[in-house]
Amino acid sequence: MKAPQAHHKKFRSTLLVSALLSALVALIWTQSASAAEITYTSLTGSWRRPVDNVDGSQPGDPVITNGAPTSIIRWGSDTPQSGYDFNAADPLPPPFQLPGALPFFSLGSFVHHNFVVGDPSLTSVQLDVVLVISVDGVPRPPLTFTYTFNHVETPNDLDPCPFDPTPPPAGCSDRVSIVASPTPTTFNVDGVDYTLSMSFLDPDGNPVSQFITSEGGVTNTTGLVGQFTPP
């Protein structure tokens, strides 16, 4: 009588192992099937709404030239003029999968060209960074991030200089401040809400909100990076 009981237990064990293997295979298949490929389709940066320190219209007012991958704004009554560049990442970051690793990725760079110029000078301007992504080949609506930059063009003979410990030979440094940053954007992929945030980073990888650039043809560059985060 004991042999049939042993056979019955062995049969049940086999069924249990088979069920567990089937569940594991189904789980792996489900996870693989739910992985979505994210592709960066396009990235542009556009300057808009410049404000300068002299009323009315005159030579040297800020002039915007938006393009791809570089958009620029220039101002000042002397040559060369001071200005900003936004250089969109070219090539775009490679595709990745969600769910999966979520590293930082480069979206481009901001450059301040600081030359000795006379009025008019920039006091404020906005930058729209527009990113289009595709999920499994299907384009999503554009994601727009708007930054507002305030600019302080210091008089070159100012003493003391507000942003320098001592007056440098070429003139006082100028300051660029980011006074309004975009809020993170959330979108849904396969039922999961992911958040895309952007930030400017210094050479050490720390977020920055202002840039101090020395006078005399100096360029100051910082990178714009993005990151997706899960809930």
Side-chain angles (χ1 to χ4, degrees), residues 10-11 24 48 61 66 75 83 104 107 112 125 134 137 142 147 158 165 167 188-189 192 202 217:
K10 182 178 180 181
F11 180 72
L24 180 60
R48 63 183 179 93
D61 281 346
N66 287 324
W75 65 84
F104 284 101
L107 289 167
H112 175 205
V125 68
S134 294
Y147 290 90
L158 190 63
N188 188 279
V189 177
V192 179
D202 66 16

Side-chain angles (χ1 to χ4, degrees), residues 75 84 112 122-124 149-153 174-177:
W75 65 84
Y84 297 160
H112 175 205
L122 185 75
T123 59
S124 178
F149 293 81
N150 274 0
H151 187 88
V152 177
E153 188 88 27
D174 297 338
R175 184 182 69 187
V176 182
S177 300

Side-chain angles (χ1 to χ4, degrees), residues 25-26 68 70 74 86 136 198:
V25 170
T70 300
R74 296 290 186 267
F86 177 76
D136 288 335
M198 296 185 184

Side-chain angles (χ1 to χ4, degrees), residues 26-165:
L27 178 61
I28 294 174
W29 183 87
T30 300
Q31 290 178 337
S32 175
S34 64
E37 183 175 76
I38 310 299
T39 303
Y40 301 96
T41 304
S42 67
L43 173 67
T44 58
S46 299
W47 299 104
R48 63 183 179 93
R49 298 185 65 181
V51 179
D52 64 77
N53 65 337
V54 180
D55 292 336
S57 177
Q58 54 273 316
D61 281 346
V63 174
I64 290 174
T65 306
N66 287 324
T70 300
S71 294
I72 68 174
I73 177 171
R74 296 290 186 267
W75 65 84
S77 57
D78 296 282
T79 303
Q81 294 181 304
S82 289
Y84 297 160
D85 297 352
F86 177 76
N87 303 299
D90 185 21
L92 294 172
F96 69 100
Q97 287 192 336
L98 291 177
L102 297 169
F104 284 101
F105 53 90
S106 173
L107 289 167
S109 63
F110 165 80
V111 183
H112 175 205
H113 302 274
N114 193 9
F115 290 95
V116 177
V117 295
D119 287 339
S121 62
L122 185 75
T123 59
S124 178
V125 68
Q126 290 186 335
L127 173 68
D128 289 334
V129 179
V130 182
L131 176 66
V132 179
I133 64 172
S134 294
V135 179
D136 288 335
V138 179
R140 291 295 183 93
L143 303 173
T144 301
F145 299 80
T146 300
Y147 290 90
T148 299
F149 293 81
N150 274 0
H151 187 88
V152 177
E153 188 88 27
T154 58
N156 293 324
D157 57 354
L158 190 63
D159 187 8
C161 290
F163 312 123
D164 298 298

